[in-house]
Amino acid sequence: FTQEHIPQICVVGSGPAGFYTAQHLLKHHTWAHVDIYEKQLVPFGLVRFGVAPDHPEVKNVINTFTQTARSDRCAFWGNVVVGRDVMVPELREAYHAVVLSYGAEDHQALGIPGEELPGVLSARAFVGWYNGLPENRELMPDLSCDTAVILGQGNVALDVARILLTPPEHLEKTDITAASLRVLRQSRVKTVWIVGRRGPLQVAFTIKELREMVQLPGTRPILNPVDFLGLQDRIKEVPRPRRRLTELLLRTATEKRGPEEAACQESASRAWGLRFFRSPQQVLPSPDGQRTAGIRLAVTKLEGVGEAARAVPTGDMEDLRCGLVLSSVGYKSRPIDPSVPFDPKLGVIPNTEGRVVDVPGLYCSGWVKRGPTGVLGTTMNDSFLTGQALLQDLQGGLLPSGPRPGYAAIEALLSGRGVQPVSFSDWEKLDAEEVSRGQGAGKPREKLVDPQEMLQLLGR
Ligand code: FAD
């Protein structure tokens, strides 16, 4: 084969969706070349900046991604913001096909009065902070209050609750940033309420994360048995994963504990609770109006049953005292470029099986394709499907024929614009530096959080 026959493919975003799409393309096509563009200086998206530091096993996927990146038919170009440094039409000119896998970078606003008060944070920013996301490194949340409220009942909410309540010495050997561990050590937060608009049958977290909460050392759960009335009978009708989850909730809420367990819980100095059937109305200010003092919740009841049940207000209100409100009601994708269709309501790029509607040669995968839900396994499957659709189109002659310049053309554009991409071997230098900085403290790594410093280390 000759240079002309090499399909040049571009992937935007180096999170799991980007890497799994690249992996599929390289595995199932013998010559295709894949360039992955990433706006951060470092790869791996939410595996690095989302997944909790005390879940190291989840991050093992990085080994597979690293193998993909080391392929001589794959290149990583970090420090390139697509939609700003280079536009999607320019990428489409340079490549035979472009896959958008840029995730969901925004958070869903609450849209209630008081949301702008100090003491109200998005869970997204809080997670970014403890995971060393450069843009959140200066967040320094004020943890001097005794009660925090998390709005939302998904896995991210439980991650945040767990990090707030885990004894700091249990986080010492993780890759949590040194700066956030220092703040957590000073934390006075004793109680965390995890608030949801609906009931126990509608929670969005999974059993693994719930079990970790139930077993959190020095911490006891507060569940109101009244919320679980009648659930025992309905449990048989629900699908198995939901049933097992609900059984664990039910046991935790209603089971009599043995004397040993009871004593252990009595002595627990910290607590977490699930507050069901509550919808946030307003963040309540302190008397001087300078900070968060509580949250006003509307009491709700369910209309309909199962997953589709809707929460409707009963008219009753409840005020909950707290100094910290973390909103964890979802991530949200942004439009990347005016040339790319975007569905603002669903927050996704409209597509059929990963093919962007009405734009031949443009594809999408991951959270920007499906919306911001699902674990790594879900993202892997949907990225493989996008890769498959692309290869089908390639084989069917639906992509441009003739050679395309690929990175050579984009490199010239970027250099004219003063943008200096970093490569995967640059990342491997930073990676080695992080690992060596972590060694003294027994941590897998101490993350670099300052882009200036990273560039300096790379001699830029
Ligand atoms: P992302 O991982 O967000 O990757 C998108 C990438 O695109 C990022 O690197 C971003 O910097 C880059 N990008 C964005 N805009 C641009 C641009 N304009 N130009 C260039 N690059 C750009 N799943 C599990 O299985 N287990 C867990 O324990 C787990 N924990 C999680 C914890 C949190 C807090 C969150 C939010 C998610 C968690 N998940 C977990 C889910 C998992 O992270 C997602 O399924 C997965 O990361 C989605 O992949 P993605 O590639 O679509 O998005």
Side-chain angles (χ1 to χ4, degrees), residues 213-231:
M213 289 306 292
V214 173
Q215 295 170 351
L216 206 58
T219 309
R220 85 196 141 82
I222 320 173
L223 296 176
N224 185 353
V226 173
D227 289 335
F228 297 84
L229 283 176
L231 221 59

Side-chain angles (χ1 to χ4, degrees), residues 117 186 251:
L117 279 169
Q186 308 288 319
R251 271 205 307 281

Side-chain angles (χ1 to χ4, degrees), residues 13 15-17 38-39 45-46 50 58 82 102 159 331 366-367 374-376 379:
E38 166 60 51
K39 73 180 228 179
L46 285 171
V58 178
V82 174
Y102 63 87
D159 276 0
Y331 283 50
W367 276 14
V375 291
L376 290 171
T379 298

Side-chain angles (χ1 to χ4, degrees), residues 12-19 37-40 42-47 49-52 55 57-58 77 80-84 101-105 123-124 127 130-131 133 155-156 159-160 162 208-209 331 334 336 365-370 373-380 382-383:
V12 177
S14 70
F19 267 108
Y37 291 89
E38 166 60 51
K39 73 180 228 179
Q40 301 288 341
V42 299
F44 311 135
L46 285 171
V47 178
F49 294 123
V51 172
H55 283 171
E57 69 293 345
V58 178
W77 301 112
V80 180
V81 182
V82 174
R84 187 192 76 186
S101 318
Y102 63 87
E105 292 245 293
R124 186 188 185 286
V127 168
Y130 65 65
N131 278 329
L133 186 63
N155 276 341
V156 176
D159 276 0
V160 167
R162 195 176 69 252
K208 171 177 175 263
E209 278 70 17
Y331 283 50
R334 302 175 184 154
I336 194 168
S365 63
W367 276 14
V368 76
K369 169 188 178 186
R370 292 195 325 271
T373 57
V375 291
L376 290 171
T378 334
T379 298
M380 178 182 78
D382 109 62
S383 303

Side-chain angles (χ1 to χ4, degrees), residues 116-262:
E116 67 298 333
L117 279 169
V120 183
L121 299 173
S122 72
R124 186 188 185 286
F126 188 78
V127 168
W129 168 71
Y130 65 65
N131 278 329
L133 186 63
E135 68 183 74
N136 297 129
R137 70 183 191 277
E138 272 148 26
L139 189 77
M140 297 300 154
D142 180 355
L143 305 181
S144 61
C145 57
D146 60 23
T147 304
V149 164
I150 301 173
L151 302 170
Q153 294 185 327
N155 276 341
V156 176
L158 292 199
D159 276 0
V160 167
R162 195 176 69 252
I163 295 297
L164 279 171
L165 292 174
T166 298
E169 57 277 17
H170 290 235
L171 296 172
E172 270 166 7
K173 307 285 179 222
T174 74
D175 67 6
I176 194 166
T177 62
S180 49
L181 190 59
R182 265 198 303 281
V183 174
L184 287 166
R185 279 189 207 284
Q186 308 288 319
S187 167
R188 300 231 193 96
V189 175
K190 294 260 177 302
T191 307
V192 176
W193 289 108
I194 305 157
V195 175
R197 287 190 304 170
R198 302 191 291 166
L201 278 176
Q202 287 82 28
V203 294
F205 48 72
T206 43
I207 192 163
K208 171 177 175 263
E209 278 70 17
L210 176 64
R211 203 176 286 126
E212 286 174 309
M213 289 306 292
V214 173
Q215 295 170 351
L216 206 58
T219 309
R220 85 196 141 82
I222 320 173
L223 296 176
N224 185 353
V226 173
D227 289 335
F228 297 84
L229 283 176
L231 221 59
Q232 189 71 63
D233 308 324
R234 310 239 312 271
I235 225 168
K236 293 173 215 90
E237 305 151 21
V238 295
R240 191 178 135 86
R242 165 79 61 193
R243 188 171 74 228
R244 290 184 52 230
L245 173 68
T246 315
E247 279 164 356
L248 177 56
L249 275 174
L250 206 57
R251 271 205 307 281
T252 312
T254 57
E255 214 166 61
K256 280 259 170 296
R257 290 172 225 301
E260 217 170 290
E261 219 185 340

